[in-house]
Amino acid sequence: MDINIVEQVNIRQKHVEDKVGGIHEHDPRYILSNIEDIIRHLSSSHGKPDAIVFSSYLFSTLFMTSMGVYLFVLMGTVFEKAGLTEVIVDALEPLVGRVKGGLAVVTVLGCTFFGLLTGAVAATAAFSRIMGPEMEKRGYPRECVAAILAASAPLGAFIPPSIPAIIIATSTGTSVLTMFMVGGAIGIIVMVALIILALATSYIKGYGGVEKRFTVREVFIRVIKALPLLAVPLLVLAGIYLGVFSVTEAGALGALGAFMVAACYRRLTVRKIIDILLESGRSTAVVMLMISTSYILNYTWSLTGINNSMLQFFVNISKTYSPYVSLTVLAIILAILGMFFDVIVLAVAWGATIMSAFTPYGISPYHIGALFLFGVLLGTATSPVGAAVFVVSDSLKVKIEEIFKGIIPFVLLYIVLYIILIFIPETSLWLPRLLGLTT
């Protein structure tokens, strides 16, 4: 069926060349003529458009790794619905909460550790409800609280096991483990930068920390109580790294471990288990729908020559100027488009093509994957459709425009880090290289 389409496109191209004296394959008229032929073919009785679209739609779901997405989502949903966020906060408060600006540090670290448990930007709502009122009591303006929470929440997209990293690695044929570590490398740098900015802001404006004094025994008990939570994702990552089990098997182990830990904390009921299964199913359905429709987009763009034109576009910039100029153009495109829809869609539709454009120039495919991951962060925290901003706004009852105003310093920080990431690949590759992974 695909061969018939290509043959018809070639015949159409030859016909157009005869009329206009030849059209280059990157000419817009070439792309439009391809689109016209494909639409005509799909709409004909012989095109069987339903079969083409359906097979393209199911293409992504045939990957065994896609099952891992559901299992990791299930693991994160267990930790979230079981209300274990408080355990993390309780452990962090006596360790870092007493310094000036300590509650802001607790929020950043809390979102980081919760990202380790969930692999997604699921920490936002939970930490908004817990840390929001407490920070306001210590003199933090509500818009500042909301901005810190909205800026910290996207850390869940970096810290492994990261759902976006699984999707990017699966769709581009790269290693899931290495992409995990790339996300971890970026996440650590972003976390440290956010802590420094939060501390500086708190010191300048006089925001307080936790006033309660803790005994050594209290600190010890709180930390010990939180260790089983961290043991689950760390064992999962260690098992993947050592080759003990695959990503899908790791997800299954993580989900089982999450249920066991939640049961040990006595946070599970029949009602909660039902809610967990329903919520994880809904979340996975959204992710898989996005992935599948992205493959349809990739399928269409490949047939119409758009992907090939984009490939040549970046190759020509790299030849004419520099690969890093081409990377800068890519980063700008991802930053702008990420403000309007999920960059993961672009990663699935464009990832493999873009990586093939930069690989001949010595650019690591994992460096490209890092740019896509950072695009997820920018899109989550910036207007007009920043998901984290809307969640925090609803949770704390703060106007969206106030959050966008308060988050400006953090967005500027993200932009600086994004520029560094473009020109210094080691900022995203240092952790996988430290662990001896191929990049």
Side-chain angles (χ1 to χ4, degrees), residues 1-344:
M1 186 181 299
D2 296 350
I3 296 176
N4 292 335
I5 296 177
V6 174
E7 289 176 351
Q8 288 193 24
V9 169
N10 290 336
I11 294 172
R12 171 67 176 172
Q13 172 63 13
K14 186 177 185 304
H15 175 66
V16 173
E17 287 178 354
D18 291 340
K19 289 200 301 182
V20 298
I23 297 179
H24 192 269
E25 64 175 348
H26 307 307
D27 192 296
R29 290 173 294 174
Y30 171 80
I31 297 175
L32 290 175
S33 68
N34 284 0
I35 294 175
E36 179 186 343
D37 275 293
I38 289 175
I39 292 174
R40 183 177 299 167
H41 179 79
L42 293 180
S43 61
S44 68
S45 58
H46 302 289
K48 299 181 182 179
D50 291 340
I52 293 178
V53 174
F54 189 68
S55 61
S56 178
Y57 181 87
L58 290 180
F59 180 71
S60 62
T61 63
L62 297 177
F63 287 106
M64 187 60 181
T65 311
S66 298
M67 186 62 185
V69 173
Y70 168 72
L71 293 170
F72 279 112
V73 169
L74 177 61
M75 181 183 80
T77 306
V78 172
F79 286 124
E80 183 184 5
K81 293 293 184 182
L84 296 173
T85 313
E86 297 92 335
V87 179
I88 298 175
V89 175
D90 288 344
L92 291 173
E93 277 187 346
L95 296 176
V96 296
R98 286 187 52 79
V99 301
K100 184 172 288 190
L103 286 178
V105 177
V106 170
T107 300
V108 175
L109 289 176
C111 287
T112 303
F113 284 115
F114 206 62
L116 183 66
L117 300 178
T118 63
V121 192
T124 315
F127 275 88
S128 297
R129 291 189 293 269
I130 296 173
M131 297 304 300
E134 192 66 27
M135 292 176 73
E136 287 186 55
K137 290 179 184 178
R138 300 293 181 269
Y140 289 83
R142 180 169 292 189
E143 59 273 15
C144 178
V145 174
I148 292 174
L149 285 163
S152 303
L155 284 169
F158 293 122
I159 305 301
S162 163
I163 302 300
I166 295 176
I167 297 172
I168 291 174
T170 303
S171 61
T172 57
T174 50
S175 166
V176 174
L177 176 61
T178 306
M179 196 62 73
F180 273 167
M181 295 303 107
V182 168
I186 302 173
I188 292 172
I189 293 174
V190 172
M191 178 191 70
V192 172
L194 285 175
I195 288 175
I196 294 173
L197 179 58
L199 286 174
T201 304
S202 299
Y203 183 81
I204 293 172
K205 297 188 177 181
Y207 300 147
V210 178
E211 296 178 355
K212 179 183 177 182
R213 293 184 178 275
F214 299 90
T215 64
V216 175
R217 183 174 180 276
E218 286 177 323
V219 175
F220 180 77
I221 291 175
R222 290 188 176 204
V223 172
I224 291 298
K225 191 177 180 181
L227 287 181
L229 290 177
L230 301 179
V232 174
L234 291 178
L235 286 174
V236 166
L237 293 173
I240 298 175
Y241 176 71
L242 296 175
V244 178
F245 34 69
S246 66
V247 173
T248 305
E249 294 166 343
L253 178 65
L256 178 61
F259 275 112
M260 292 175 63
V261 169
C264 290
Y265 281 98
R266 297 182 179 180
R267 300 294 183 94
L268 284 182
T269 63
V270 175
R271 180 61 186 170
K272 277 189 178 180
I273 293 175
I274 295 174
D275 288 342
I276 287 169
L277 295 176
L278 291 176
E279 180 63 28
S280 59
R282 283 192 293 264
S283 299
T284 306
V286 171
V287 173
M288 295 310 297
L289 178 64
M290 182 174 64
I291 296 174
S292 301
T293 51
S294 299
Y295 271 99
I296 296 176
L297 190 64
N298 175 271
Y299 184 89
T300 305
W301 285 352
S302 296
L303 287 178
T304 57
I306 293 177
N307 275 359
N308 189 47
S309 298
M310 181 178 58
L311 171 68
Q312 292 302 320
F313 171 73
F314 286 112
V315 167
N316 290 337
I317 294 177
S318 299
K319 285 182 178 179
T320 307
Y321 301 100
S322 163
Y324 286 97
V325 174
S326 190
L327 276 178
T328 304
V329 173
L330 172 63
I332 292 173
I333 292 173
L334 292 178
I336 294 174
L337 294 181
M339 295 180 182
F340 301 96
F341 57 90
D342 203 316
V343 175
I344 293 300

